[in-house]
Structures are given as C-alpha cells and as structure tokens.
Amino acid sequence: MTLTYIFHSGFVLETEKSILIFDYWLDPGNVVPQFLQNEKPLYVFASHFHEDHFNREILEWKKQREDITYILSKDIYKHRRASKNDADVWLAKGGTWTDGTIEIRASGSTDIGVSWIIETEGKRIFHAGDLNNWYAKFLPDAVPGQTIYSKEFDEDIDPIAHEKQYLGELKDIRKITDRFDVAMFPIDSRIGNGYTLGGRQFIERFKIGLFAPMHFVAGSFESAWRFKEFADEKNVPFWKISREGESIKI
C-alpha cells in the first residue's frame, strides 16, 4: 500500500485492489488527477461538512469516471451541503458498510461528523476527521464544572468536559479495535500549548503501525514534526511529511 499526502487532512491510500481518498479540500500538488485516471475502484470519503474536509469538487469527479463510491458523513446531508443522491453511502457514528473489498465503520468525533475505521486487504486504517482534544491549552487553568471564555472560538467552553468526551470517543474505538496499521490524526499548532496532547493520548491507547499527522497546514510542516519525539518514546513510526504529494510505502 502507498499513502500520499494531498493537503491539510487529505490523503490518498492506494492498495493492490483499490484507491481511497480522504477529506479532500485543495490539491496544490496536483495529486488527484493521476488517481482519477487509475482503473482501480475508487472510494471517496468526507468525514464532515466543514469546507476544509468536504469540497463539492469531489462530486464533479464522477463526470470523469462513473465507478466512484462516495462515503459521506450524514451531517453533510443534514447541513444541506449535498443532496441525498450525491453519496452511495451515508454514515453516522456506529454505522457500517462493506462491499467485500473494504469494510467501513464510522466512529465518533469531538467536533462534527465522524472518524473512519477501514479494513481492507488485511490492513486497518484510521482517519480521525476532526476527532481531537481541541481545547487542551485551557486544561491547566480549568476548574471542574466551570467554563472558560475562548477568544479564538468566541464562546465559553468547558475544556475538562471536552477532554472527557474525547477520551470517551477513544474508549468507544477501543471497543472495536486496539490497533491500526495507519492512523491519520490532527496535530494542529493553532490549538496553542498542548497541541500534541490529543495525539499523545491516542498513541497511548492504540498500537500504531504508522502515525501520519494532518490538519497542520496553518502551522507548517515543522509544527507537525514536533510530534515525532512523542511517537519515538512510544516506538510508533512517524511520517515526517515535508511536502504536498509526498508518498510513503506501508
């Protein structure tokens, strides 16, 4: 298998029998066209309706080839970003689907939509979508039961409750599996201090064959590399992505 980084949270996974595209937003490296021309069955995923994870451009790809299978989170339809017949499969947390080539389970998120657990050709893949401990920087000053005003989000937040939700989602995933051959997970420095905490909590709970950082575009490639020292401590292979269009063998 080969994993290729597109941009932000977008990846292409090419296996012996199929091609999977995750959370396409933009394609500055012109990665996607070559895969659209590939004759292998193509599966296109979007974890939620936010524009940096779901771009309606993906629906235009079916004009180039008719054999695309679209697997979209149900919130995309609920927020009227797509019509019901735009997807072959609509999933919310707990939903499953298989066609004999790939098996998909939608797991939870701490923002909106879902994360993805996929099994294909003997490999187990995880794409986090927007699952993360997003309010980690507020935890040192948090008091149980009290909220903190966030200028970034312009709202009162409860970071302790949010972390509890996040750890609860990880617990739910562990009921399904405790290992992934590949995990694509947010390492987003915009969170501020503690931006690696969610990733660290993730690799503490799962056996990971390869950790691929994502959602770091606002903070630079180097900001994602900060996670490597934590991955090394847990003997988790870390993909030090350095450009759009870069690929790695799995």
Side-chain angles (χ1 to χ4, degrees), residues 16-188:
E16 183 179 344
K17 299 179 180 179
S18 61
I19 294 171
L20 288 64
I21 299 180
F22 297 95
D23 282 25
Y24 175 89
W25 177 25
L26 301 172
D27 186 12
N30 201 32
V31 170
V32 171
Q34 62 178 306
F35 293 103
L36 294 180
Q37 296 170 12
N38 194 304
E39 295 182 355
K40 296 178 182 178
L42 177 60
Y43 302 86
V44 177
F45 296 78
S47 64
H48 60 286
F49 79 91
H50 291 162
E51 66 177 3
D52 60 333
H53 291 259
F54 172 70
N55 183 339
R56 283 188 55 85
E57 183 181 334
I58 65 174
L59 303 177
E60 298 297 314
W61 296 346
K62 62 179 128 184
K63 294 179 180 178
Q64 300 182 49
R65 53 183 294 178
E66 297 180 353
D67 62 338
I68 300 176
T69 301
Y70 291 93
I71 304 102
L72 307 183
S73 172
K74 283 186 176 180
D75 70 280
I76 296 171
Y77 174 62
K78 290 178 180 178
H79 284 84
R80 300 182 181 180
R81 299 301 195 271
S83 60
K84 195 168 186 178
N85 61 359
D86 282 329
D88 301 278
V89 184
W90 293 101
L91 293 178
K93 180 182 177 179
T96 61
W97 181 82
T98 183
D99 65 353
T101 298
I102 65 173
E103 297 181 12
I104 303 166
R105 183 182 294 269
S107 43
S109 177
T110 44
D111 190 346
I112 194 74
V114 301
S115 47
W116 301 113
I117 299 172
I118 299 162
E119 295 196 38
T120 184
E121 298 175 38
K123 299 287 187 181
R124 188 171 293 145
I125 314 300
F126 184 75
H127 188 286
D130 263 356
L131 174 68
N132 196 8
N133 193 342
W134 290 110
Y135 304 140
K137 83 169 188 177
F138 298 100
L139 287 170
D141 300 319
V143 176
Q146 294 185 13
T147 59
I148 296 176
Y149 177 72
S150 167
K151 292 182 179 179
E152 295 91 339
F153 298 98
D154 191 26
E155 62 180 344
D156 291 326
I157 61 175
D158 186 336
I160 294 177
H162 179 81
E163 180 177 60
K164 184 177 180 180
Q165 178 195 1
Y166 171 65
L167 297 179
E169 295 293 352
L170 297 190
K171 185 176 181 180
D172 287 346
I173 295 171
R174 273 191 60 91
K175 293 176 183 177
I176 301 167
T177 183
D178 66 352
R179 68 164 187 86
F180 295 103
D181 295 285
V182 182
M184 293 159 272
F185 194 93
I187 302 295
D188 190 338

